[in-house]
Amino acid sequence: MKIERIDSQPPFREQDFTFPDSTVQGASVAKKENAIFVRSRSRYKLECDGVHIVYADGTGHIKWKRGEFPFSAGDALRLEKTGEYEINGKGNYLIIFEK
C-alpha cells in the first residue's frame, strides 16, 4: 500500500471524454477505456485494489487510511492497493486504472 509521485504525462485530455448530464458524488464523471475523468467540486471517493494513476489539475490531498498525501496541479500520483481513498480538492482529475 503506497502513494508516490511519478514522472508521467496523461494519455488522455479532457476533450477526449464525453460527459453525461448527471453527476456522481456531486462530480461530473466520464469514462473511456481504462480511465475516468472527474470534474470535482470538493471530493470524490474511489477504491483501489490494484494500481491507479491520478493526474491532478487542482490542488488538494488524497485521504486514505494511512493519512493524507498532498498534491498540486500538474502532479501525477501512483496509488498501489490503497483500498478506499478520497481525492479532496476542487479540480479536474484523470484516473487511469491499471492491473
Side-chain angles (χ1 to χ4, degrees), residues 8-23:
S8 177
Q9 295 299 313
F12 300 111
R13 298 173 301 155
E14 185 175 3
Q15 304 88 290
D16 297 329
F17 293 84
T18 302
F19 290 85
D21 293 332
S22 61
T23 61

Side-chain angles (χ1 to χ4, degrees), residues 14 44 47 64-65 75 91 97:
E14 185 175 3
Y44 191 78
E47 181 77 26
W64 63 314
K65 65 182 169 185
D75 281 350
F97 304 107

Side-chain angles (χ1 to χ4, degrees), residues 2-34:
K2 67 180 177 179
I3 301 175
E4 61 186 346
R5 281 185 183 75
I6 59 172
D7 184 21
S8 177
Q9 295 299 313
F12 300 111
R13 298 173 301 155
E14 185 175 3
Q15 304 88 290
D16 297 329
F17 293 84
T18 302
F19 290 85
D21 293 332
S22 61
T23 61
V24 177
Q25 301 179 40
S28 296
V29 180
K31 297 178 182 183
K32 179 181 182 74
E33 298 174 18
N34 64 330

Side-chain angles (χ1 to χ4, degrees), residues 37-53:
F37 196 97
V38 179
R39 294 174 180 157
S40 179
R41 293 182 289 174
S42 62
R43 66 183 179 146
Y44 191 78
K45 286 186 180 186
L46 292 146
E47 181 77 26
C48 178
D49 59 358
V51 173
H52 290 185
I53 307 297

